[in-house]
Structures are given as C-alpha cells and as structure tokens.
Amino acid sequence: MAEAAITTYGLSKRYQKARHFALRDLELNIKPGEIYGFLGPNGAGKTTTIRLLMNFIVPTRGQARILGLDTLTQSVQVKDKVGYLAGEVELYPKMNGRQLLAYLSDLRPPPISGYVNVLCRRFKVELNQRISSLSRGNRQKLGIVQAFMNHPEVLILDEPTAGLDPLMQEEFFDLVRETKERGATIFLSSHNLTEVQKVCDRVGIIRAGRLIKEQDIGDIVASSVQVFNIAFAKPVPEAQLRTIAGLKLILNSQHHATIKVRGDLRPLFRVLAKHQVRALDRQESDLEEEFLKFYRGQS
Amino acid sequence: MWAVLHWTFWQRRWSTLWWCTGVSSFIILSLSFYASFRDQAVQLNEVLSRLPNAAHALISDTTDFLTPEGFLSARLFYLLLPLLLSILAIGLGSSLIAKEEDRGTLEVLLSRPVSRVKLLAGKALAGLIIVLAVSLVSLITAVVVCRLVKLEVAFDRIILATLLSTLLALVFGVIAFAVAAHGRARAASVGIATLFGIASYLISSLDEVVEVLRFPAKLLPYHYYRPGEVLVGNFNWRFVTILVSVIAVLILFSFLSFRQRDLND
C-alpha cells in the first residue's frame, strides 16, 4: 500500500496565552492523488492546521508527516515537495509579478522551464504591474501561479478561490483536476461548499478545533437532500407523491411543485413516469444544509 | 540563503543609495566648517571653557575640541556618525524580519525549501553588508573632506574610528534584529533598540560627571566607544572585542529564538 501523502497524529495547537486549543487531536490520513476538502466555519481551526503542516507554527503536541517526512524536523525537505497558497495572499507590494516569480524561482527553481509562463497566460496574470496596484483577484492569481509552478507533489491551499471571478474559478478547478491526474495530492481548505463539491474526493469537517466528520463526497451527495422544481400538465399528484418516504412536497401552484427528496430517487421517478411532466429542473445539490448541521453541532 | 541576500539587496538598492548620499552630505556639512573653527580657535575655546562638564561630556569624549582630532571626534565620530549609522542599523534590524512577518511575506519565503536559519542568515548578512557599505562611503567621504579642509588626522586612525562607529551601530541594530527575531512587532524592536541606544549614550557620556552612573555605564556599549582616544592613537582592541562579542551573542540569540517559534499571523 502506498504511503499516505499527509498524516497527522494527535496534532494539537494551543496558542500562547489562549485558554483553549485552536486544534485538538487531529487525525488525518490523506491518500496520494486524493483531493481532500477541509471544511469548517471561520475560526474552526482550518488555517491553524495548514500553518502547522507548513511548520509556520509549532504543535503543542502531536505530529504531522507529509510524504513520510516530519513537518517539524524535515521541514526543508517537505517544502521541496509542497506548493502552498495562503488564505490571504500577501506579496511584496513594490515588486511586480515578474520580479516576485523570479525571486521565488531563485528559492526553488521550477523543474519545467516555461511552465510559469504557461500558468501566467492561462490565468491572465498581470506580470508587469506593481503588486500594490493589483486587485485582490489578480493577486490571488499570482498566488496560484507560485503555488503550482514547481509541479509539487502535494498542494496545500487555504481558501484558494477567494477573490477569483467565476471564469477564473473554473480555470482553477480545471488546474486542480489536471494536477490530480498527474498524481499530486491536494489539501484544500474552504468554507465554500460548492467548490468543495466540484473537485474534492473526500471532505473533513472541522468545528471548534476538532475534526467531527470525514466522508467521501459521493456519499454525502447521495445522502443529501436534492431539490426538484416540477411543472405538471395536470394538477400535482399530491397524494401519490406524499407516499414516498423522505419526500417533502411544497405546492407552488396547482400545476407546480417543489420537491425535496433524500437518498434513492427511484420512487419519485416511478410516480413522475405516470404523469405528464412539462418541465423538471434540478437545483444544484445543496450540501450547504448538510454541512450547516455539522457547523451548528446538530450531527 | 544567497537568493534571500540577493533579493534583499535588490529591494533595498535605492534606500541604500539614499543613505550613502545622506550620510555623505551630513559629513561634508559637518566638517567643511573646520577652517572657520580653526581661525576662531581662541574665541571658541573661551566659549567652550564656560560650558559645564556635563555639556562637554555630551558633545565629545575629549575636552580639546579644537585640535584636528578633537574637532573630528566632536563633529563627527562622537555623535553624528554613530547616530546616523545606528538609525540605519536599527531600521534594518527591525525591518529585515519583522516587516516581512507583519506583512505576511515571511510565509511566502518559508513555503520554499529554505530553512529558517538560512533565511535569517541571508537577512542578517544583507543588513550587515548594507551597514558596512554606508560606513565605507562615510569613511571615504570623511577622508576626502579632511584632506580638502586640511584637517590633518592620520588615515589609519579615521579608519579605526569609523570601524568603532560601525560596530557600535551594529550593536543597536542587532538588538533590534534580536527582538524582531524573537517575535516582537517591528515597533517594539525599534523602540527597545532606540531606548537602549539613547540610554547608553546618556549614561556613558555622563558617567565621568555623575558618579552613580559609573558602574551601569560599564554594562553599556557606548562606554566602549572612545573615538577621541582612537583618533589620537590609543586604539583599544579590548573594546572592539567586547562590541564584537555582544554582536555575536545577540546574533546567536536571534538564531535560537527564530529557529523554532510560531510565526505571527
């Protein structure tokens, strides 16, 4: 069995003068080639975890390993294999993008010449403009380029799509998928559930410094509530629909209903097959409600 | 480490140039009046003799202001040059690490395969070379102006006095650097180093006049800074050793502090 890409053993952090642990006994085991979404509300411990993995802060107890290397004692070797994007991308304001990337390339030369330019073109990065005059989105694009330009084996990304417009978000998700295809592991923290749903294989949910649930994204989607807006040619077959277990029916008009159903969709479609359906619109699977339950502590 | 060094220089290339220009201008302004001082030596001596001892002590470490050595010490080496170099060194010491940490760019650097020790070494070396570069320009300017205004002091003594000034400034710069490396904010590192510098100057200057200050003065770096003595040929290597040792200890402390501490968020 291949060695895990990221593992943590009882990783905990209590900041100086803090009464409570920001992160407590985190146990992670992320497989090579996996995209792992780390979800939680603000202040849950996502950034603390990432800063521990990057050895920016020292654990109070526990240990983390990336590609088998200890993040504390073998930090330099770890960073030779890791790409990192901070939640708030902070770059040298007086430099332009070209100078910044040259500096970072001096610290870690990219293995494939020309790849930096490919990424810059792809994300339409402003290379000749001073960083201080760039918008947040443009700074974020520069941050993405510097994180990916070394073809890292592991990527640690903190809220990576913050500030990106929808087109650039899609470009970013494509890049993440391509990066996974070449075998890299991606650890992605977010509180944006839709983006996690788009790219992640598995998610971990953190609340108040504790990992409270880990699940494959497919399982979550399968067990989540799905919402359909249906227009019938004749009156809504209310009685038949109400016989379906786990179904919630909202009558919008005599011919139009919103249906929320959890799990297996076959009973719903059996009923629909017996009626003339004029239009059926499936709303994007709403993971938000699922996660909010965890966030609120209702799990 | 070399990349950090190279890019730190690159970032500070204009400010270093401005510092060289500014310090040179101060030196030119300060020494170019020597001819007037020399011509009015008798009158000035009368005025200076009326000053209290404490005022003398704050101006220079020599009572003979109007000899070439006394003039050079009072006008340049006792206060002006160490003050300017200390401002530069404290500014560098506080900003090389703390500014990057405050701004969040330290994480960008440390996300690369560079150890904290090498990063700190690159930054410290960059700071040291910038201070030495400005000192060298100061030395050249001082020597040239001395020749032009016929201020006859031996070249090697001016070199040694500049070296001592540079070492004193480095002590204060390294204090700021150590405070920043320990994790304190930039303002704190500037404040602590400046306070220490001013206290050191005042206490050491007045220790001959105020007896109670004699012992604490010995614990402060300014006590080992005697440019007037150096310029008349009494260079004390023991003082250099003390200043270098203090710098070495503070740098070691910086490395130990920074090696494994939490970066500020």
Side-chain angles (χ1 to χ4, degrees), chain A residues 192-208:
Chain A
N192 183 334
L193 309 170
T194 314
E195 77 177 21
V196 165
Q197 192 182 350
K198 275 182 182 162
V199 290
C200 291
D201 301 312
R202 195 156 61 103
V203 294
I205 300 169
I206 186 169
R207 193 186 72 220

Side-chain angles (χ1 to χ4, degrees), chain A residues 236-294:
Chain A
V236 175
E238 196 181 340
Q240 287 173 282
L241 287 170
R242 290 204 191 276
T243 59
I244 299 169
L247 182 140
K248 193 175 172 190
L249 179 69
I250 302 160
L251 279 173
N252 301 319
S253 68
Q254 196 182 2
H255 295 270
H256 186 239
T258 298
I259 290 169
K260 292 185 176 181
V261 63
R262 187 184 289 274
D264 192 0
L265 297 175
R266 284 174 299 182
L268 171 66
F269 284 100
R270 270 192 220 110
V271 171
L272 296 181
K274 293 174 189 164
H275 299 271
Q276 192 181 347
V277 174
R278 282 214 171 125
L280 185 143
D281 171 44
R282 178 179 171 275
Q283 284 182 12
E284 207 163 307
S285 188
D286 188 10
L287 288 186
E288 195 128 356
E289 192 53 39
E290 302 300 310
F291 289 116
L292 282 175
K293 283 195 297 190
F294 290 113

